[in-house]
Amino acid sequence: RAEEQIKASLKEKEVLLQEIHHRVKNNLQVVSSMLNLQLDGANDRNVREIFQDSRHRIRSMALIHEKLYRSDNLARVDLADYVRDLATYLFRSYWDSAATITPVIEVEQVFLGIDAAVPCGLILNELISNTLKHAFPPHWERTNGQSGEIRIKLCIEEEHLVTLIVSDDGIGFPPDLVVCNTESLGLRLVTVLVDQLDGTLEMHSDNGTQFKITFTAL
């Protein structure tokens, strides 16, 4: 009887936790919808971009809770599955600029707790969005006549070390750029979020741009 009571209590807690993820996801979607309404009423280009960027950040967080809600494991997110879904969402959102860009996604199965998954998802959102918006401007033409590429690589090594790489073969950044001192809100957010993960950030700008983030999955 005691064993049955324990099992029933655990099941009740699992259902409750699942419901919490579901409600958090729904609340974030409500906020996203309100931002979308504000976006429709904004005429200024800069204001529209601010609302759109905020909506994408909220969507990246809501997707974490959606994954947890639908998963058998309510404590950890399958980051590989998450990366594919987030990339698909962002490519659809930036369809005008993304139409000639090819995503190349190489991801291993990596499971993260929500404390690491949320900042990791926001980092991905910022880097992919930034690439889609700025790496391939309309006036820029590739010398080889092929479409541009965004490569997203995720792997886990010994010591539970996670490596996330987002790279492109676009115009690149100025050689003297210091990421932590840039005026770009998105890149400043990336540095803050990497610190939150107790990770390291490397940027290379040679024949495009590469961001490499490494952190330990606890």
Side-chain angles (χ1 to χ4, degrees):
R1 191 182 302 116
E3 184 179 352
E4 289 176 356
Q5 287 176 344
I6 292 172
K7 287 181 179 179
S9 178
L10 286 173
K11 183 62 178 177
E12 182 181 353
K13 289 178 179 178
E14 286 179 0
V15 172
L16 179 60
L17 186 56
Q18 193 175 32
E19 180 64 19
I20 288 172
H21 285 306
H22 184 56
R23 292 191 180 190
V24 171
K25 180 205 72 171
N26 286 349
N27 287 338
L28 288 170
Q29 286 181 334
V30 169
V31 176
S32 179
S33 297
M34 289 191 293
L35 285 174
N36 203 38
L37 290 173
Q38 293 286 338
L39 179 64
D40 290 339
N43 296 320
D44 183 271
R45 182 178 178 181
N46 290 332
V47 173
R48 289 181 61 84
E49 187 169 320
I50 290 170
F51 279 122
Q52 187 179 46
D53 288 346
S54 298
R55 191 161 57 93
H56 293 332
R57 288 164 188 146
I58 290 169
R59 174 58 182 162
S60 72
M61 291 186 287
L63 187 58
I64 293 285
H65 291 279
E66 182 178 346
K67 292 295 179 186
L68 288 170
Y69 168 67
R70 296 181 181 279
S71 173
D72 292 333
N73 187 338
L74 298 175
R76 293 185 174 272
V77 179
D78 181 352
L79 206 61
D81 188 40
Y82 174 83
V83 168
R84 296 186 189 96
D85 285 356
L86 182 63
T88 299
Y89 164 74
L90 291 173
F91 265 76
R92 287 175 180 169
S93 299
Y94 292 104
W95 177 248
D96 289 342
S97 57
T100 59
I101 303 172
T102 303
V104 180
I105 301 175
E106 304 172 12
V107 289
E108 296 179 4
Q109 196 171 49
V110 177
F111 290 92
L112 292 181
I114 191 168
D115 288 343
V118 169
C120 192
L122 286 167
I123 289 169
L124 275 165
N125 175 77
E126 298 303 325
L127 294 180
I128 297 172
S129 296
N130 189 71
T131 302
L132 291 172
K133 289 192 293 184
H134 304 298
F136 305 97
H139 64 273
W140 181 73
E141 294 181 2
R142 291 185 52 77
T143 56
N144 60 7
Q146 297 179 2
S147 63
E149 279 188 355
I150 296 179
R151 304 186 73 91
I152 304 167
K153 185 175 181 179
L154 174 72
C155 61
I156 188 164
E157 303 171 6
E158 295 180 4
E159 307 289 329
H160 301 286
L161 189 67
V162 177
T163 299
L164 173 65
I165 299 174
V166 179
S167 61
D168 64 75
D169 55 356
I171 59 174
F173 279 98
D176 57 346
L177 177 74
V178 179
V179 176
C180 59
N181 293 332
T182 181
E183 295 183 358
S184 166
L185 173 61
L187 293 182
R188 292 207 311 271
L189 277 174
V190 169
T191 60
V192 170
L193 292 164
V194 171
D195 287 342
Q196 187 175 327
L197 289 168
D198 291 325
T200 61
L201 170 64
E202 299 175 28
M203 190 197 81
H204 304 283
S205 190
D206 183 21
N207 295 323
T209 304
Q210 181 191 85
F211 289 92
K212 181 179 179 181
I213 295 101
T214 55
F215 61 94
T216 302
L218 299 177

